[in-house]
Amino acid sequence: MAEIKLYSAVVCPYAHRTRLVLQEKGIDFDLIEIDLQNPPEGFRKVSPYGKVPAITHNNERVWESAIINEYLDEVFPNPPLLPSNPIARAQARIWIDFANTRFVSAFSNLLRSSDVQKQEEAKQELYKHLEFIENEGLGKLSGEGPYWFGESISLVDLTYFPWFERWAALKEYRGFSIPAEFTRLKQWKHALKERDSVKAIANSKEFYIERYAKFAAPTPVGV
């Protein structure tokens, strides 16, 4: 039995983050798939928020993906997934916060909104965030390397990638592709897709198109 148990849901991008970290570090773990619509009795004893991911390690609980991932990086330090330089480490945390507070909400708002005007507003917001990532993130930090901080993959890359694996759903239901002018972002996405850790747990475009249909469906009148 592995010392780490990961409580996950295959469609959840937050849980996807932590699965990628575990894959990158080669950490053995027991995967426990949770049906969030019908969670098992006792699940909130592990995850007080009732969300995934959550882990148990040495009889201790950790929840919230960004916190779990930093915990794993500290407890299992090789290979490191945060820069060693303090300012670069601070920049990494800024970009993780940008994902959690801005990028993810714009992605979700676009996919879930049934109002055409709100969809257009969400497209503009998401475009603005992608432009910021292209210029202020990858454009200034990655240099000649394929990843956010150059040659070495980091928690920042693994924080964002699950939403890019799901991008087919945005394209299918909202007609929003990654704009062609964001060439650095496209190169970054391709580099991530080629990593063994990503390939090991990847799902197809069709998988996400099918699973995200219920989030993108128009809301019936009167509901």
Side-chain angles (χ1 to χ4, degrees):
M1 180 181 295
E3 59 182 300
I4 287 182
K5 291 182 179 179
L6 170 64
Y7 296 79
S8 178
V10 68
V11 78
C12 176
Y14 294 97
H16 193 172
R17 290 172 165 179
T18 297
R19 291 180 67 198
L20 287 171
V21 170
L22 291 163
Q23 291 285 338
E24 281 289 337
K25 288 184 171 287
I27 300 169
D28 187 29
F29 65 98
D30 291 331
L31 179 64
I32 302 168
E33 190 74 8
I34 299 296
D35 178 357
L36 292 171
Q37 303 304 313
N38 186 29
E41 185 178 350
F43 176 55
R44 282 186 176 269
K45 291 181 180 180
V46 176
S47 178
Y49 297 170
K51 300 192 301 184
V52 294
I55 67 168
T56 59
H57 181 218
N58 294 332
N59 297 317
E60 299 289 347
R61 306 168 299 165
V62 187
W63 59 94
E64 291 295 295
S65 63
I67 296 169
I68 292 171
N69 292 351
E70 280 213 39
Y71 172 81
L72 292 172
D73 199 46
E74 290 180 8
V75 175
F76 302 92
N78 293 308
L81 292 176
L82 280 175
S84 58
N85 177 278
I87 188 61
R89 199 158 59 247
Q91 289 169 336
R93 290 180 173 127
I94 288 168
W95 282 106
I96 291 169
D97 179 75
F98 183 81
N100 291 341
T101 60
R102 290 169 172 79
F103 170 76
V104 169
S105 61
F107 183 106
S108 180
N109 287 342
L110 176 53
L111 183 66
R112 290 173 180 267
S113 178
S114 59
D115 180 85
V116 174
Q117 178 59 38
K118 289 184 178 179
Q119 288 176 18
E120 288 304 312
E121 293 171 0
K123 285 181 181 179
Q124 293 175 22
E125 185 78 3
L126 186 54
Y127 182 95
K128 181 181 73 174
H129 294 335
L130 293 176
E131 185 177 44
F132 191 67
I133 290 169
E134 174 83 5
N135 297 324
E136 292 294 324
L138 297 168
K140 292 186 176 180
L141 297 175
S142 64
E144 298 300 316
Y147 306 116
W148 215 282
F149 284 91
E151 297 296 332
S152 298
I153 197 165
S154 73
L155 291 183
V156 179
D157 302 292
L158 305 180
T159 290
Y160 282 85
F161 182 76
W163 281 266
F164 286 89
E165 185 169 293
R166 289 157 174 76
W167 209 276
L170 278 189
K171 185 176 180 180
E172 175 75 13
Y173 298 115
R174 300 294 180 250
F176 190 87
S177 301
I178 299 172
E181 60 267 32
F182 298 145
T183 56
R184 191 64 194 78
L185 185 60
K186 285 177 170 285
Q187 292 168 3
W188 168 86
K189 181 184 177 185
H190 177 74
L192 266 290
K193 285 177 66 177
E194 294 302 309
R195 288 193 71 84
D196 289 342
S197 62
V198 171
K199 290 180 177 180
I201 59 174
N203 289 300
S204 68
K205 293 178 180 180
E206 292 75 19
F207 175 88
Y208 292 115
I209 289 170
E210 178 184 346
R211 293 298 185 96
Y212 278 75
K214 62 182 179 181
F215 299 116
T219 304
V221 175
V223 173

